[in-house]
Amino acid sequence: MVSIRESIHGEWSSRWAFILAATGSAVGLGNIWKFPYITGENGGGAFVLVYLACILVIGVPIMMAEIMLGRRGRQSPINTMRDLSIEAGHSTHWQYLGWLGVIAGFLILSYYSVIAGWAIAYIMRASSGVFTDASVEVIKNEFVSLVGDPEKLIAWHTLFMVMTMVVVARGVQGGLEKAVKFLMPSLFIILILLVGYSMQNGEFNMAVKFLFTPDFEALFYKTDAQGNQYMSWNAVLIAMGHAFFTLSLGMGAIMVYGSYLPAGTSIAKTTFMIALADTVVALLAGLAIFPIVFANNLEPGSGPGLIFNTLPFAFGHMDGGIIFGTLFFILLTFAAWSSSISLIEPAVAWLVENVKISRAKAAILMGLACWGMGLLTVFSFNIWSDLKPLEDIKIFKDATIFDLLDYLTANIMLPLGGLLIAIFSVWIMSREASMEELDMGDRIGFKLWRFLVRYITPIAVIIVFLNVLGIVTFK
Ligand code: TRP
C-alpha cells in the first residue's frame, strides 16, 4: 500500500525545500549560542564527545523516526499519533505524546524568543561601532547593561515573537522556504571567516585541545555549595538533551515538517545531511569562540552570555569588523527565526485542525501566550536574577528560572518525547509500516535503524535518566 494521504496544510515544493526548512529548524541558537556555553560549563572535550555520540546513535535514528511518523500521519503531531496508534491497533493515549511536544515547544519558544532578542539587540550594537577597539571589560558591560534592563529585553522579545508569528501565520510554503536558501549558506561562510580570525588571533591550539581532548573528570565531577566534590551524570544528560535540542527532536517539530514532505523522498539521506550540517555549524561556532576565550582569559563556563562576550571582541579588532559583526548578528537572528517557527508549528497545526480557526488567528493566540510566558525568562536575567527556586538540590544550586525552564524542556521533556517516539516507532507501529515509509527496503540500513531505535536509544535515555536521579550509579 502506498500512502497517498495529503496534508491539509500543504506540502514542501521539493525534497530540497524540506532539507532547507529542517536544517533551518535545526541550525539556530542551539548551535551558536547554547552549544559553546554549555560545553564551557561542562569542561569541554568529554562533553563534546558524549554530545557527538548522542547525535549519531540517538539523534539520527530518532530524526528518521520522527520524519517517518510525520509523513505517515500527515497532520499535527497530536493527530498523527492518534491516527497511527489506531492504524497499529493500539490505544489512542499515544496522542499525549503529541501534547507533551506541543507543551515543550511552547515553553522552549518562550525563552528562545528572549535570547533571539539579544541577537537583534546586537545587530544594532555591532553596526553602531561600539565594539571597535573595545576592551573585554567594555564588551562585558554592554552585555550586562542589556540583560539588566527588562524593558529593552521585552522590546526585543516582542519584536522577535511578532516576526515568528508573521511567518507562521503565512504557512509553510511561503517566506520560510525562500529565506533559508540564502541564509544558511551565508551563515556558514561567516562562521568560517570567524574561525579564520580566531586561528590567527586567538589561542587556537588551546581551544582545539579544550574541545577535543576528553577529560572525563571534568564531565562527571562537580563542586557543591560547600566546595565539596561530588559525582554526577548531570552533564551527560545535558549533552544528550542538547543532541535533541540542536536537532529539533523529541517534540514533533521535525514530525510536523515531515508531514509536509512529499512521498518518495529518502528519509535516511535527508536526515544525514541535516545532522551533518547542524553538527558542523556547532563545531565551527566552538572553534570561533574558544580561541578568543582563552586569549583573553575569559571564563569558559561563564554561561549564556558567552558568545556575546567573545565574538564582539573579534569584531572590534578585525578589519571590516563593523560589517562582519552586523552581518553575523543578522544571520544569527535569521537562524533563530527559522528555528522558532518550527517550535510553534505543531501547536498551530493542531489548532487549525481541531479548533477550526484560521492559521492567522492560531498564530496570534499562541504568540500572545508564548510572549507572556517569555517574561519569566526576561526577569530571570535582572529583577529575579537572585531567585534560585531549587537551590536546595545540588545540581540546581545556581539555577535561575530560565535555567530551570531550559533544563526541564531540553533535558527532560525532549529526551522523554524522544524515548516515546522510539518506543512507538518500533514496538507499536508495525515493521511493515515503518519499512514502507522509510522506503529503504529490508536491507542493512533499515535493520540498523530498527536495532538502534529498538534497543540503543531507549536504553541510553533510560540509563542517563536513572543516573541523574541517582537511582542507578556506576562506580
Ligand atoms: N534546534 C534549534 C536550535 O538549535 C531549536 C529548535 C527548533 C528546537 N525547533 C525545535 C529544539 C524543536 C527542540 C525542539 O536552535
Side-chain angles (χ1 to χ4, degrees), residues 17-96:
F18 170 77
I19 293 182
L20 285 168
T23 311
S25 163
V27 175
L29 296 173
N31 308 61
I32 296 170
W33 159 75
K34 193 174 178 190
F35 171 73
Y37 95 75
I38 58 176
T39 298
E41 285 179 337
N42 292 287
F47 181 85
V48 174
L49 194 67
V50 174
Y51 155 77
L52 291 175
C54 289
I55 294 281
L56 210 61
V57 299
I58 302 178
V60 167
I62 295 284
M63 184 180 281
M64 288 174 61
E66 260 200 48
I67 300 175
M68 175 213 39
L69 296 178
R71 190 167 65 182
R72 197 157 185 91
R74 290 259 182 251
Q75 299 159 79
S76 69
I78 296 174
N79 293 337
T80 286
M81 291 312 298
R82 188 198 56 212
D83 287 5
L84 293 183
S85 40
I86 294 173
E87 184 186 66
H90 265 258
S91 143
T92 53
H93 287 332
W94 281 98
Q95 67 180 298
Y96 294 113

Side-chain angles (χ1 to χ4, degrees), residues 293-314:
V293 170
F294 294 124
N296 295 288
N297 289 321
L298 297 166
E299 173 53 48
S302 63
L306 189 66
I307 66 161
F308 298 96
N309 290 327
T310 48
L311 295 184
F313 183 84

Side-chain angles (χ1 to χ4, degrees), residues 122 125-135 138-139 142 308 312-313 315-317 329:
Y122 268 68
R125 286 163 193 238
S127 61
S128 75
V130 284
F131 301 135
T132 308
D133 292 327
S135 65
V138 169
I139 286 168
E142 282 292 321
F308 298 96
F313 183 84
F315 297 129
H317 291 84
F329 286 110

Side-chain angles (χ1 to χ4, degrees), residues 66-374:
E66 260 200 48
I67 300 175
M68 175 213 39
L69 296 178
R71 190 167 65 182
R72 197 157 185 91
R74 290 259 182 251
Q75 299 159 79
S76 69
I78 296 174
N79 293 337
T80 286
M81 291 312 298
R82 188 198 56 212
D83 287 5
L84 293 183
S85 40
I86 294 173
E87 184 186 66
H90 265 258
S91 143
T92 53
H93 287 332
W94 281 98
Q95 67 180 298
Y96 294 113
L97 169 54
W99 281 105
L100 176 75
V102 164
I103 296 167
F106 175 83
L107 293 177
I108 295 175
L109 181 58
S110 81
Y111 69 79
Y112 204 85
S113 168
V114 176
I115 313 291
W118 299 357
I120 307 180
Y122 268 68
I123 300 176
M124 309 303 157
R125 286 163 193 238
S127 61
S128 75
V130 284
F131 301 135
T132 308
D133 292 327
S135 65
V136 174
E137 277 66 44
V138 169
I139 286 168
K140 253 190 203 157
N141 285 338
E142 282 292 321
F143 181 71
V144 171
S145 75
L146 172 67
V147 298
D149 184 343
E151 277 169 34
K152 275 191 205 150
L153 294 190
I154 291 175
W156 297 122
H157 162 53
T158 309
L159 174 61
F160 187 79
M161 199 58 91
V162 170
M163 284 163 55
T164 301
M165 294 310 157
V166 166
V167 177
V168 172
R170 300 174 71 179
V172 285
Q173 314 92 328
L176 208 119
E177 261 195 55
K178 288 178 207 107
V180 244
K181 246 179 234 168
F182 300 99
L183 301 172
M184 287 298 128
S186 321
L187 183 66
F188 201 72
I189 292 169
I190 207 158
L191 271 175
I192 292 186
L193 285 173
L194 275 172
V195 174
Y197 168 86
S198 290
M199 253 182 202
Q200 287 181 339
N201 302 288
E203 291 286 345
F204 197 70
N205 292 339
M206 269 176 88
V208 170
K209 190 159 169 265
F210 179 74
L211 288 171
F212 300 112
T213 314
D215 171 3
F216 284 95
E217 297 253 306
L219 188 69
F220 285 116
Y221 289 93
K222 306 281 153 193
T223 321
D224 69 10
Q226 283 78 43
N228 302 318
Q229 276 217 327
Y230 65 97
M231 198 233 179
S232 161
W233 271 61
N234 195 34
V236 178
L237 178 59
I238 297 175
M240 184 174 86
H242 188 63
F244 283 96
F245 186 93
T246 191
L247 293 177
S248 304
L249 300 178
M251 54 72 67
I254 292 294
M255 196 184 293
V256 85
Y257 275 21
S259 76
Y260 313 140
L261 183 66
T265 308
S266 161
I267 292 179
K269 267 191 225 147
T270 311
T271 298
F272 271 109
M273 283 162 70
I274 300 166
L276 187 69
D278 187 80
T279 308
V280 171
V281 170
L283 295 177
L284 285 177
L287 287 173
I289 288 163
F290 284 104
I292 306 173
V293 170
F294 294 124
N296 295 288
N297 289 321
L298 297 166
E299 173 53 48
S302 63
L306 189 66
I307 66 161
F308 298 96
N309 290 327
T310 48
L311 295 184
F313 183 84
F315 297 129
H317 291 84
M318 63 166 77
D319 294 333
I322 294 189
I323 294 177
F324 280 132
T326 310
L327 208 59
F328 173 80
F329 286 110
I330 290 178
L331 291 171
L332 183 59
T333 303
F334 273 104
W337 199 4
S338 61
S339 300
S340 62
I341 291 157
S342 71
L343 282 163
I344 208 65
E345 180 64 22
V348 169
W350 182 82
L351 282 172
V352 172
E353 286 162 15
N354 288 54
V355 188
K356 308 272 181 256
I357 56 177
S358 68
R359 266 194 94 80
K361 278 213 188 95
I364 294 172
L365 219 65
M366 292 310 300
L368 277 173
C370 222
W371 178 87
M373 187 78 202

Side-chain angles (χ1 to χ4, degrees), residues 411-433:
N411 304 336
I412 299 174
M413 296 177 87
L414 299 181
L416 186 63
L419 174 67
L420 295 172
I421 288 168
I423 293 175
F424 186 87
S425 6
V426 289
W427 295 97
I428 307 292
M429 197 170 174
S430 73
R431 190 173 190 276
E432 292 66 41

